[in-house]
Amino acid sequence: MRYLLIVISIISYGALAQTPLKLPEIEGPIKTASYPKGWESLIGSPDIVEGEGIWNNEKYTLDHITGEHAGESMVWLMCVRPSGYEGMQTTVNGLTIGELYSVSINWQQCAMMLEDERMYWGGDLLMIVDGVEHIFKSEGVHDDWQTATVEFTAKSKSVTVGVQMFNPDYDKKSRWGGCIVVDDADPCVNCPAAEIVKAIREAGG
């Protein structure tokens, strides 16, 4: 599959009016292989977590989750090399064909540790909106929460939005792969971010 990579700035000054869409809340009790209400499997089996701390048993620890969402429910997405991805998706209805919309998600790189050993370490966020893939990068595992926003023009009365861990080789020294966490974002117009690499599938690629 070929990709056309375009590096763009997300900071814009509102050339076109858009309608931000509210995605289902990312809430729920701590549970492995689980999704928040209103979401479903995209690939693999994400987990609902509450920030840093012991994961699933007493061996592994989630780490490098900081900032205002740190103690709230969120979804942990990881990838075991080379292609054991985790992701979830939701569908929003009631759109007007031809109108401009945006969807947003909060995300942060994180880590899973076994004492001082990196089991999973960092990675990128992949958002799939109406079949188009958008890859969001950040400064590293020591980043803070940031908002990823995608704008699109409605082609039908509904749109499917997916979020997935991407780039399991972010840190080649980790034993298994990479991981990120995602959480709610308020509907947002032109949310700032450092850089987005927008991956668009070429027709027939």
Side-chain angles (χ1 to χ4, degrees):
M1 185 68 67
R2 295 175 297 155
Y3 293 87
L4 174 64
L5 295 181
I6 307 172
V7 178
I8 65 173
S9 169
I10 195 171
I11 300 176
S12 172
Y13 294 96
L16 295 173
Q18 58 174 277
T19 301
L21 297 177
K22 179 67 174 176
L23 301 178
E25 290 187 355
I26 298 178
E27 300 290 343
I30 298 174
K31 189 176 182 180
T32 59
S34 184
Y35 318 98
K37 184 178 180 180
W39 294 84
E40 62 181 7
S41 175
L42 170 64
I43 187 171
S45 54
D47 303 330
I48 299 177
V49 301
E50 288 185 355
E52 296 182 344
I54 301 299
W55 178 84
N56 198 25
N57 56 47
E58 297 182 357
K59 291 179 64 177
Y60 303 110
T61 302
L62 292 179
D63 203 353
H64 295 290
I65 302 173
T66 60
E68 61 179 327
H69 300 266
E72 303 174 359
S73 297
M74 62 190 70
V75 169
W76 182 62
L77 305 173
M78 60 84 169
C79 181
V80 181
R81 297 187 190 94
S83 58
Y85 294 102
E86 289 185 340
M88 61 183 187
Q89 64 184 6
T90 188
T91 299
V92 181
N93 299 304
L95 280 60
T96 300
I97 296 173
E99 292 292 316
L100 182 64
Y101 294 92
S102 67
V103 289
S104 299
I105 200 84
N106 280 323
W107 77 288
Q108 183 177 155
Q109 296 192 47
C110 63
M112 175 182 281
M113 307 294 293
L114 176 59
E115 297 180 348
D116 293 330
E117 183 180 3
R118 299 176 179 182
M119 310 307 289
Y120 297 97
W121 186 273
D124 303 331
L125 167 68
L126 173 65
M127 289 184 68
I128 307 172
V129 181
D130 202 20
V132 179
E133 298 182 344
H134 307 258
I135 302 170
F136 291 78
K137 298 177 178 290
S138 74
E139 60 189 15
V141 170
H142 299 283
D143 63 354
D144 203 339
W145 289 97
Q146 56 231 276
T147 302
T149 299
V150 172
E151 298 178 2
F152 69 97
T153 300
K155 298 177 183 178
S156 66
K157 294 182 179 180
S158 63
V159 63
T160 298
V161 179
V163 292
Q164 178 184 318
M165 157 67 197
F166 194 75
N167 189 11
D169 288 322
Y170 178 84
D171 176 37
K172 295 182 182 296
K173 295 180 181 179
S174 64
R175 181 188 291 187
W176 291 332
C179 61
I180 63 172
V181 284
V182 296
D183 202 359
D184 303 310
D186 292 330
C188 181
V189 177
N190 298 324
C191 284
E195 180 181 279
I196 302 172
V197 178
K198 184 178 181 181
I200 306 174
R201 290 183 187 272
E202 293 183 289

